[in-house]
Amino acid sequence: MMDKETEQYYDDLLEMFNSDAWKTFNEDISLMYDSLLESAPTACESNDSWQFRRGQLEILNYVNNYQALMINASEELSKDVH
């Protein structure tokens, strides 16, 4: 069951996801991800630099998918309530 505080949390996230600022931010994150991935074969000359790049890509991928993750979590919590 979703309490009021949790419901407000997800409502705030949904409001943010619908903002132009979020859409711009998400587009920028996607561009950064694509750029880092595309340049990895030439920019990562050592295993250490490749592992660092993998970490960057993992974080950007998480941020890029954050909206979907939160919407899915909100829907799952709502199902439990109804």
Side-chain angles (χ1 to χ4, degrees), residues 2 6 8 10 12-13 27 31 35-36 42 45 49 54 56 61 68 75:
M2 197 178 333
T6 303
Q8 184 62 51
Y10 285 106
D12 290 346
L13 286 175
E27 288 171 6
L31 291 172
S35 176
L36 284 173
T42 56
E45 297 177 0
S49 64
R54 283 183 60 200
Q56 290 174 313
N61 190 46
E75 289 172 354

Side-chain angles (χ1 to χ4, degrees), residues 9-77:
Y9 173 79
Y10 285 106
D11 286 346
D12 290 346
L13 286 175
L14 291 174
E15 183 178 329
M16 178 183 70
F17 295 148
N18 288 319
S19 73
D20 288 338
W22 175 258
K23 291 172 187 158
T24 300
F25 174 74
N26 213 24
E27 288 171 6
D28 287 348
I29 293 296
S30 291
L31 291 172
M32 279 187 257
Y33 180 90
D34 292 343
S35 176
L36 284 173
L37 185 60
E38 186 177 307
S39 66
T42 56
C44 299
E45 297 177 0
S46 69
N47 186 53
D48 287 345
S49 64
W50 168 239
Q51 295 304 323
F52 183 78
R53 179 66 55 97
R54 283 183 60 200
Q56 290 174 313
L57 292 167
E58 187 174 325
I59 291 166
L60 290 172
N61 190 46
Y62 178 80
V63 173
N64 199 32
N65 291 306
Y66 185 70
Q67 180 175 350
L69 291 169
M70 292 301 103
I71 289 172
N72 288 339
S74 174
E75 289 172 354
E76 287 299 315
L77 286 171

